[in-house]
Every structure is written in structure tokens, then in C-alpha cells.
Amino acid sequence: MSGEVIYRVAHAGWTQCTGQQAADVPAWPRLTHSALVVLDLDDVFSDVWRFEGKSEYATALIEKRVRTQGLVEGAAHIVIHRLIKLPGGFQAFFSAISLEFWQRCSQWAQEQGDHCLVLTAAGLLCHGVDAGHARIILSQRRLMGFFQTEEGMSFSSTQALGSGPAAMASAAQVLAGNQSALLARMGPEAVQWCTLWSTQPGDSEICRSAMHGVLTGRPQQLPSVDLVQGSERIETALPMLALQAAGRHALNPLVQRVAWRAERWVAPITVVTALAGVALLTLGVLLGQLADRQREEGQAQRTELAALQDRIQTVVSVEAPQKLLPVADFSRLLDEGSRYDPMAFMAVLKASASKDIQIQRVRLETSQQARSKAFRVDGVVAQGASASVTRWVGQMMAAGWSLRALDPADTGPGAFSYELVATAGPSRSVKP
């Protein structure tokens, strides 16, 4: 068991767990050490409810229903342990705590000189339970089960009405019977059993036997420890679950949870830092050697680059013969002519236009002042198929044409007009 001090708060009082020992302590003690406090109270109402609407209002919706149904005496503080969104709404696994008790607990935790995180038994119940799995815990004479599937979450709770084995067996059979279909579908490998706190040696075995009949196998048992309190032996997994769930399910503000977690990381980080220092020192020596080699190679490459630049400058400074300029201009005109070949353009246009686009007119326009050419394309797109025009524009651009939208020549619905100018790249065929 970890050296962290754990406190269990129940109606019977406060119990401190340290090492392998448990001891009753006065309520609201003044702490001088880091501690985790688990509220395991019978009058804390927990359940899974589903709502329609936005999950942002989950706390307000739950608080209103709890107050309307009178599930908590007086005003209530709502703690949402898990929330999942579903079609049309959401599901929330929550606990409702008396507002007066919650305010006193929060103030007490803030007044302590060291980290003091507060959790609930329901938070430990659902921590780490993934979809398709379940966890059932026994706390004294109370059984709680949390189940999560692809369809959503489910929660069951039952209390043994009596102190004998028969009462415990009856409570276990009630919970197993209420969730028999779900348990049978999951199977024993997907169900965890946990003894959160038990002073009756036979209760845990009685409950596991009841689950065995529904699961056709024993559920997976979470490890527990035995604490000694006077002459009494306590079977519990509370310390282990509290340490695992504190960072996620503690009810304290985020900054307090982060501070608690950071303190637990100090020792591992120190070891990692030392190892990283040794590794960085070794890496520094290797990088120094590599840098020396790269400097030598870089100097050789700079010498080769300087010689290459001199050769390039020599070639660039040579002027083209004057008699070749007319030939170059004629070649440019031939290239423009091939780009504005009407037959080639019509082939590209036909390949890019889908069945929803009807090309009405294609006209080659020439500007004498700018000595430029462009195709004007007028067409009509089928009603409701405007996306086809967008695809056609993209395909024509991919084929080497720049498009500019014009006022449609036709005023009918779906009419469009574009000016297409050849870009620098060569035209290429486009798949329809």
C-alpha cells in the first residue's frame, strides 16, 4: 500500500488508513500531511439519468429534478462523474450531495496545510470502466454496480437489510437479477469485482457467488489489502482506487488536483532528468564530432559552388544573336496558336462538362490593344446541380485555363458565362 494517507468518511465516522493500519479519528481533523478523503455516505444519491437537449445544462437539469423529487434533504450539490452524448441528448452518471455538507467539506479541504483531495465512492466506482465493461463494489452492506455499453450507461444500488449472511445474499441476488441480461451479455471477463470496504469476511464471497450464477463464471477481482483496526480485520481496495482516481475524480478545483499530481511526479522526474543529463552529455560529444566533419564538408561544397556560379555568370552574360529573335517570336506565336486551337479546346471542354451542364456557345475573342486571346463559354446548369459548375471550373483550371466569371448571356435560371485564358502550363486532357 502507498504511503499516502487515506480517510474514509461514513455515517459511522472518519477512519484513517495508513500503511496496514486503520484507526477511527475525530471528524474534520487538522491535517499536517497530504491526504485523500473518500466520501462513502449512504445518503449521497447516485444514479444514471438521461436528458434531451444540450449537455452544457446537465448540472442544472439534474439539480432541478433532484430538488423536485426530494431525493436530497435541502439544497443539493451535483457532482457529474461521467457524461456521454447520445442522439438527441445525453446521459450523466452523477451524485447529489447535501449542499450544506458539501460547503463544509470544501472549506475544510482548502484550510489544510497540505494537499487534501476529496472524492466520492461513485467516482471510484466508474473510474477506468470502458465501454463494454462493468464494475461492482461492496462497501459495508451496500452493493453498487456501474455498467457501460455502446448504448449508454447503467447504475444499480442495493442495501442489505440485516446483518447476517442471508441478508447479504439477498441484496446480491437483487442486483444480479436487475442487471442479469446485461451481465450475461458482457461475460465474466468484462466485469470487475471490488471490495471497497468490508469488515465481514464472508460478505465478499457471498456476493461473488451470486454474480457467478448470472455470469457463468467469476468476475475479475481487483486486488485488495487487509487493514488491522484493533481486533478487527478490514478487507479494502479503497487506497488503491483512491490513488488511481484522484487526478480525475477529485472534487477539488483543477489547480489543486494538478498540484497534487505534480508533487507525486517530483521523484520520477528527478530520475528522468538525471538520465536525460547523462544522455545529453554523450549526445553533445557526438554532435561536436559530427559538426567538425560537417564544417569540413561545407567548406569543400562552398568552393565547388563558387566555381559553378562563375561558370553560370559567364553563360548568362552571352547575348543571343539578333538573327535568332524573329525565330523565337515566331515560335511563341505558334505556341499561342496551339493553346487556342478551337478543336483542342472543345475536346477539353467536352471532357470536363458533366451531364448536368449544357454548353450553349463557345466564342474565341481577341483584344487588338492587348494582343490577347480568350474563349467565352456560355452554358446552363441543371436546377439543383450548382456543384457541377464548381467541379467543371476546377477541372478546367487543372487543364491549364484561368477562369473569370462574366454576366450570363442568358437570363434564364442556371445560366452562366466564363472567360477562359490559357495559363503558362500546357493544356492536358481531363477525365470527365
Side-chain angles (χ1 to χ4, degrees), residues 32-53:
T32 58
H33 47 256
S34 177
L36 301 178
V37 180
V38 179
L39 305 180
D40 191 12
L41 302 167
D42 294 337
D43 61 352
V44 172
F45 178 78
S46 300
D47 205 347
V48 171
W49 285 352
R50 177 167 181 169
F51 294 89
E52 303 296 328

Side-chain angles (χ1 to χ4, degrees), residues 45-69 71 78-96 151-153:
F45 178 78
S46 300
D47 205 347
V48 171
W49 285 352
R50 177 167 181 169
F51 294 89
E52 303 296 328
K54 297 182 179 180
S55 59
E56 290 82 357
Y57 308 115
T59 301
L61 292 172
I62 294 171
E63 192 276 334
K64 180 180 179 181
R65 185 186 293 184
V66 167
R67 177 165 33 86
T68 302
Q69 298 181 5
L71 299 174
I78 305 301
V79 178
I80 297 180
H81 306 294
R82 182 170 296 186
L83 187 146
I84 59 174
K85 295 184 179 180
L86 299 172
F90 62 92
Q91 244 188 347
F93 177 41
F94 69 93
S95 291
E151 293 79 20
M153 299 179 292

Side-chain angles (χ1 to χ4, degrees), residues 331-353:
S331 175
R332 179 181 58 79
L333 293 175
L334 286 177
D335 179 66
E336 285 189 3
S338 64
R339 296 287 284 138
Y340 287 94
D341 179 8
M343 297 303 294
F345 178 76
M346 292 299 293
V348 174
L349 189 63
K350 180 180 179 182
S352 62

Side-chain angles (χ1 to χ4, degrees), residues 30-355:
R30 186 67 179 178
L31 305 182
T32 58
H33 47 256
S34 177
L36 301 178
V37 180
V38 179
L39 305 180
D40 191 12
L41 302 167
D42 294 337
D43 61 352
V44 172
F45 178 78
S46 300
D47 205 347
V48 171
W49 285 352
R50 177 167 181 169
F51 294 89
E52 303 296 328
K54 297 182 179 180
S55 59
E56 290 82 357
Y57 308 115
T59 301
L61 292 172
I62 294 171
E63 192 276 334
K64 180 180 179 181
R65 185 186 293 184
V66 167
R67 177 165 33 86
T68 302
Q69 298 181 5
L71 299 174
V72 175
E73 185 177 353
H77 174 78
I78 305 301
V79 178
I80 297 180
H81 306 294
R82 182 170 296 186
L83 187 146
I84 59 174
K85 295 184 179 180
L86 299 172
F90 62 92
Q91 244 188 347
F93 177 41
F94 69 93
S95 291
I97 306 173
S98 167
L99 182 60
E100 181 181 357
F101 177 84
W102 166 252
Q103 289 175 340
R104 183 177 183 184
C105 189
S106 298
Q107 182 178 356
W108 171 81
Q110 292 176 1
E111 292 173 350
Q112 304 312 305
D114 207 334
H115 302 300
C116 181
L117 301 189
V118 181
L119 303 94
T120 64
L124 306 188
L125 173 65
C126 68
H127 177 71
V129 179
D130 300 324
H133 292 77
R135 178 177 292 162
I136 301 171
I137 66 174
L138 169 67
S139 180
Q140 284 293 52
R141 309 289 287 176
R142 180 177 53 157
L143 274 172
M144 294 188 295
F146 177 79
F147 313 83
Q148 181 158 348
T149 65
E150 297 296 336
E151 293 79 20
M153 299 179 292
S154 179
F155 172 79
S156 289
S157 177
T158 182
Q159 183 82 29
L161 303 177
S163 57
M168 191 74 258
S170 177
Q173 289 170 3
V174 168
L175 188 143
N178 290 341
Q179 301 291 341
S180 58
L182 191 56
L183 289 170
R185 188 175 66 182
M186 287 184 170
E189 297 81 7
V191 179
Q192 293 180 342
W193 165 262
C194 170
T195 305
L196 190 67
W197 192 272
S198 177
T199 56
Q200 301 293 329
D203 284 355
S204 182
E205 181 59 32
I206 290 172
C207 294
R208 287 200 302 269
S209 298
M211 302 303 157
H212 180 279
V214 178
L215 292 170
T216 64
R218 285 187 172 273
Q220 306 299 310
Q221 183 169 357
L222 294 181
S224 59
V225 296
D226 289 337
L227 304 182
V228 177
Q229 184 176 8
S231 60
E232 192 173 52
R233 184 183 68 86
I234 302 171
E235 182 184 358
T236 178
L238 182 68
M240 178 198 70
L241 285 179
L243 287 169
Q244 292 178 353
R248 168 64 180 85
H249 288 278
L251 309 184
N252 304 64
L254 177 62
V255 64
Q256 297 180 17
R257 285 182 281 149
V258 172
W260 176 84
R261 180 63 67 184
E263 187 173 279
R264 295 183 59 82
W265 286 343
V266 168
I269 289 176
T270 302
V271 175
V272 172
T273 302
L275 294 176
V278 174
L280 289 174
L281 181 61
T282 305
L283 182 61
V285 174
L286 295 177
L287 288 177
Q289 297 174 353
L290 180 61
D292 291 339
R293 289 198 298 269
Q294 288 181 341
R295 278 194 295 269
E296 295 174 359
E297 295 175 358
Q299 184 60 39
Q301 291 175 353
R302 283 193 293 272
T303 302
E304 294 179 3
L305 181 60
L308 182 60
Q309 288 177 338
D310 292 340
R311 294 171 60 188
I312 293 174
Q313 186 62 35
T314 302
V315 173
V316 170
S317 61
V318 177
E319 296 184 359
Q322 293 296 320
K323 63 181 180 179
L324 293 181
L325 294 180
V327 177
D329 188 52
F330 180 70
S331 175
R332 179 181 58 79
L333 293 175
L334 286 177
D335 179 66
E336 285 189 3
S338 64
R339 296 287 284 138
Y340 287 94
D341 179 8
M343 297 303 294
F345 178 76
M346 292 299 293
V348 174
L349 189 63
K350 180 180 179 182
S352 62
S354 66
K355 62 180 181 180

